[in-house]
Structures are given as C-alpha cells and as structure tokens.
Amino acid sequence: FGSSPAQFSLFPSPMASLMQQASDMASSAAASAAAAVGDGVAAAQDRLNISLEGNKMLSEGGPPMEAKVLTKAACHSAMEMDAIALGQLEAACKQLTEAAQFLEAQSTDPALMSANTDAETAEFVALAPKFRERATRFEVALTAIKQSVSPKSPEMSLAESDAAKILVVKGKLADTGTQVKQVADQAMADVSSRMQSDEQA
C-alpha cells in the first residue's frame, strides 16, 4: 500500500504553510501602511485647506476680521492663563504649607533640632508662622477664585484658530506658552534679585 505523489499533494507541507502565513502577514501590513499613509495625506491636505482658509479669512476680511479673531484668541488665551494660574496657586499653597510644617518640626523636635545651630533654630522659629500665614492667604485667595464661575470662551472654528496662529507669527498676538514663560522667567529673576539683596544686607 504505497502512497502516490497525488495523495501527498492534498496536504501542504509545514514550510509551505509558514510561507503562506508570512505572505498573508506581509500583505496585511502593506495594506495597513498604505491606509495609514493615505489617512496622513488626507489629514495634511485638510490642515492645508484650513490654513489657507485662515489666511483667506484675514486677507478678505481686513481689519474687522482680524479684530474678531484677536478678540476670540484673547479670550481663549485668558482662560488658558486662568487655568494655569489656578494650578500654580494650588501648587504654591501646598509648598508653603509643607515649608511651614518643615520649619515647625525643625524648630520644635529635639531630635531634629540637634542638627541646628542656635541661630538656625531662632531663624526657623521666626519663619514658621510667616510661611503659615502666607499659605493661609493663598488658601483664602483660592477659595474666593473657586467660588466664582469661570466665563466660557467664544467658539472658534479651525480656520479662525489657524488665523490666530498667523497673527502670532506676525507678532500681533502672543501665544499662551510664550506668556507663561515670560511670567515665570520674570518671577525667577525677581526672586534671585531679592535673595542677592538679602545676602548683601
């Protein structure tokens, strides 16, 4: 009862099966890649069209349209700054409270005080209530701010958003990120200046 070649041909070899799986996977990957490229091209084209619309909006609308875009962008920027400022206030309040707790522990716990000089202990004792008071003032400010209702920014279309970006490039509008960095840089400069003045006093 020998087996004929025809009987063997009914069952694919393991190698042939693996080759077919690899081929199928390659075809699937190629199809997915082609679809992703197609989606990317379509998205880029959409962004280009919107950008062109934003530029056209400013060109055809003139000063009145520019003023409207600036108005909407200013509102959005203001609310972004509002959220950032609130977050920074909360972080500052937390850090002031923690600093006060450290000062209180370092000036009252005998085990910790053993590392202090007499002058340092006196300084910690004097500073603890000042940090605590500052933290309390921040808490009061936060409570008052959170009790008020944040206004809603006017709606902006994608074309208007792109028009606003064009105005940023032209220097007619400052983006939020730049404003935040400027404020932070100035604040750090002020702190550094005060520290140098204290050291010289």
Side-chain angles (χ1 to χ4, degrees):
F1 296 94
S3 299
S4 67
Q7 288 175 308
F8 279 112
S9 66
L10 295 176
F11 302 97
S13 68
M15 181 59 70
S17 178
L18 288 173
M19 291 291 290
Q20 183 61 49
Q21 290 179 16
S23 177
D24 292 343
M25 290 176 63
S27 298
S28 177
S32 298
V37 170
D39 291 343
V41 171
Q45 185 62 50
D46 289 342
R47 289 300 301 160
L48 176 60
N49 292 337
I50 292 169
S51 182
L52 292 174
E53 286 181 30
N55 191 46
K56 181 181 179 182
M57 178 183 292
L58 293 174
S59 298
E60 295 182 354
M65 180 60 70
E66 182 176 302
K68 184 183 79 168
V69 172
L70 284 171
T71 298
K72 289 188 174 185
C75 291
H76 279 259
S77 180
M79 293 315 301
E80 288 173 347
M81 291 289 285
D82 180 283
I84 292 169
L86 183 59
Q88 290 177 330
L89 270 175
E90 290 175 333
C93 183
K94 180 181 178 181
Q95 290 185 355
L96 285 165
T97 300
E98 289 178 351
Q101 292 170 346
F102 276 117
L103 287 166
E104 290 163 354
Q106 196 66 37
S107 60
T108 58
D109 187 334
L112 299 176
M113 290 172 63
S114 63
N116 304 346
T117 63
D118 291 341
E120 286 174 331
T121 297
E123 183 180 28
F124 295 155
V125 169
L127 287 174
K130 294 180 180 180
F131 272 78
R132 181 68 67 180
E133 179 187 3
R134 188 70 170 175
T136 299
R137 289 184 180 276
F138 270 64
E139 289 174 358
V140 171
L142 278 168
T143 300
I145 292 171
K146 290 180 178 180
Q147 286 176 346
S148 64
V149 179
S150 297
K152 181 182 178 182
S153 298
E155 297 292 335
M156 283 187 79
S157 65
L158 290 176
E160 288 173 332
S161 295
D162 268 19
K165 293 175 184 176
I166 292 172
L167 294 176
V168 169
V169 173
K170 290 183 176 180
K172 296 185 177 182
L173 180 68
D175 67 283
T176 305
T178 299
Q179 294 181 69
V180 170
K181 186 178 185 305
Q182 289 174 343
V183 171
D185 288 347
Q186 185 59 54
M188 293 302 294
D190 291 344
V191 170
S192 178
S193 178
R194 285 199 300 270
M195 291 177 66
Q196 291 177 0
S197 297
D198 291 342
E199 289 175 357
Q200 293 172 359

